[in-house]
Amino acid sequence: MLNTTIKILILIALVAQLLVSVVSSHGAAAKVGVTYDGKSLFINGKRMLLFSGSIHYPRCPPEMWPDIFKKAKQGGLNVIQTYVFWNIHEPKQGQFNFEGNYDLVKFIKMAGEHGMYVTLRVGPFIEAEWNYGGLPIWLKEIPQIIFRSDNEPFMQHMEKFTRMIIKKMMDEKLFASQGGPIILSQIENEYNTVQQAYKEHGTSYVHWAGNMALGLNTGVPWIMCKQTDAPGAVINTCNGRNCGDTFGGPNSPDKPTLWTENWTAQYRAFGDPPSQRTAEDIAFSIARFFSKNGTLANYYMYYGGTNYGRTSSSFITTQYYDEAPLDEYGLQREPKWGHLRNLHNALKLSQKALLWGTPSVQVLGDFMEARVYEGKGHACAAFLSNNNTLSAETVKFRGAKYYLPPRSISILSDCKTVVYNTRMIVSQHNERRYKDSDKANKLQWTMFKETIPTPDNSPLKFLEPMEHFSTTKDETDYLWFTTSLKVDPSELQPTVCAALEITSLGHVLHAFVNGEYVGSGHGNLARKNFDFKKPISLKPGTNYISILGATVGFPDSGSYLEHRVAGVRAITVLGLKTSPLDLTRKGWWHKTSIDGEKLNIFTEQGSQKVKWTKAEKKQALTWYKANFDAPEGKNPVAISMETMSKGMVWVNGKSIGRYWSSYLSPLGNPSQSIYHIPRAFLKPKENLIVVLEEMGGKVEGIKIQTVNRDTICSMVREDYPPTVKSGKRRSVSSTANNPKPTANLACPENKIITHIEFASYGDPLGECGNLFAGNCTAPNSQKVVEQYCLGKTKCAVPLEKNIFDKEGKLCPQSLKSLAVQAHCGHQT
């Protein structure tokens, strides 16, 4: 079969080479659809710089899509990138779902309606910190299947799904060749990372996948990220944080330099501390990439959203890429959002030179260089780079001096005027705050306690513990393992405490003896397997040992995913006279799921099937229920679960994801303690909230909150460039005559600046939310800023000496800064 496949691939490759010749040589002439050459894509015959952001439709409800797209557009994006999620669209073989926030067609059309293009990453394997990398669990049951290999069963199903998605897109006329917004499609995903594991079957598979995609004739190019041997006309692209320096370039001079994933932070697993990637670092990487022939860069993620329900992969938090330019609630994270918007504007001012100019490089000193694009019609753009991470430098370029902070790039859109520096942030800052809702926090909790199973009510019997993934088939996190142990009184030792020892391949277990909770154990992202050992109380006669195994998502990466396993593997009782007593092959009864889950007691109808009683504290494996009214106002809604341990939350029958507040990071705090409740999930009154708590928590500590970024700040210095606005080119002969920067403030959601919390012209210190005056400050700072800003939705305060310090006596030998902190609210 392999030889036949290779022969077919060779033939297809020859056709593909002909295709790439046609595509690349006639790119400029094409007027409909998307083609390319070694410089850039041509969209309907036009070159352009493309600023893209990843936004995943299943990770936010459709009601949020318009606002997310609007803010992405305002942030300077002109492309939206999304994966296609096979396992949500075909959860059972042959049964499809494209409804609600799985409505892929609606999502793409809406992006187009907002004036943006789309990159469709079909996969169908996607990774994405998504359950099983997007592959449906039923695929694992196909006989003789090997995922992502030259394996006939896998390729058959993979191609069938790919063709179905492409047909769906073409039927809706969504490709640019049909007048739609889709300009690129991706097949496979980062296959280079596993290709060697499959040896020759990996090489033949990836070439088959690429050529199969080309044969679908969509009229737009196909890409493969991190795939150096992308076949034929398929464009290989870069993923990473610094593709301007790490990308070896496309594998053919006829292909453009594209960046599919610039990671805006780091996705977080339970147990991880907070992670940040600064706006300055992202900006430097983007400016570097475009200075080195890049023409499309995508932020992964631009909006991360939420892993609702059980959709996250192993140990990944419910909150996804919250540190992106748009946070989990869809609010602009400043200065990241604004600093990148200003970068996009600066690059757009340089677009003519970048797309049609001739590049050159000039060394300006150690770690210093100028990358210049110069073309006809006086188009000229320069990138002055300081690659020294420790010290600032002043460089001379074309007769003028330019100050460059450490590890920064200044963009000169006319080769004279600095319109942007990656290190100098002139956009505003903000701080996210949570406020307990007075209206919603009248919670009266009741509880329903799960029954711990015995062999009599467990339907599946096997000699030893069954493998978790294959038994639950991804229909639940939970699998019970139960056995009985008959203890003779003579076996008990009065001075020795018995103990239960369990070896597990992961992810979590909760142990019960005779219906009483013993304790819990878990692995982590790096090492799923773990050992559990706790003291237990045994009685003479029959004892029941029940173990609730739980997974926290299926794996999403690596080779041979179909062979991954989890669950309890060995069980031993210690402390008896005949110990150790190995129970592993004693005979085990199994039960998938838990009672409340099977009865859907998280819904209004299902909740009536069980008896609820007054809530008690610290109950393991317990359901809690309450009702609440929607919080006041229109701000996003969240729920604080910091006093709970581990489980899941439903609001009006919709799961807002797994919580795990008891899993602390090395800093001693939960990796995530606050969870998003989309307002789209809420009714004005009588919202049902149901919490499943696995280990025991203080339910009275749960709080419904609203979320805002109403605290806004600006911190600029005299030597910063002014805020650049797209399309407003300035022609200035000397940097000495540059317009002065301004402190720019803008309230979100049509709110107004209600008061100025801090203002200082001089040498202020601190950060947004914690600003304070330095050694010198103009006494009129507060009054001046209030005159410019109070009662307005936005304002710009000039950083001018004659406004704050007319006599010039304030710290005369130092550069002045202006720091402002304001509060936004609604007019009363």
Side-chain angles (χ1 to χ4, degrees), residues 578-646:
T578 56
S579 75
L581 180 60
D582 188 354
L583 302 181
T584 307
R585 296 177 62 83
K586 185 184 180 299
W588 288 84
W589 285 259
H590 301 78
K591 181 181 177 181
T592 60
S593 190
I594 53 179
D595 293 341
E597 190 176 37
K598 286 183 176 180
L599 294 171
N600 292 330
I601 68 172
F602 45 82
T603 65
E604 285 284 359
Q605 185 176 3
S607 67
Q608 299 172 22
K609 297 177 181 179
V610 299
K611 184 178 180 181
W612 298 83
T613 60
K614 185 178 179 180
E616 299 176 13
K617 298 178 181 179
K618 288 282 187 179
Q619 295 288 309
L621 206 54
T622 301
W623 297 81
Y624 296 96
K625 176 175 74 78
N627 291 93
F628 68 97
D629 293 342
E632 52 276 81
K634 296 182 179 179
N635 286 339
V637 181
I639 182 169
S640 173
M641 302 296 293
E642 190 167 3
T643 63
M644 303 300 283
S645 293
K646 179 184 180 296

Side-chain angles (χ1 to χ4, degrees), residues 539-560:
K539 63 183 181 180
T542 301
N543 295 265
Y544 294 110
I545 297 175
S546 300
I547 304 165
L548 181 61
T551 49
V552 187
F554 276 39
D556 74 324
S557 59
S559 57
Y560 298 103

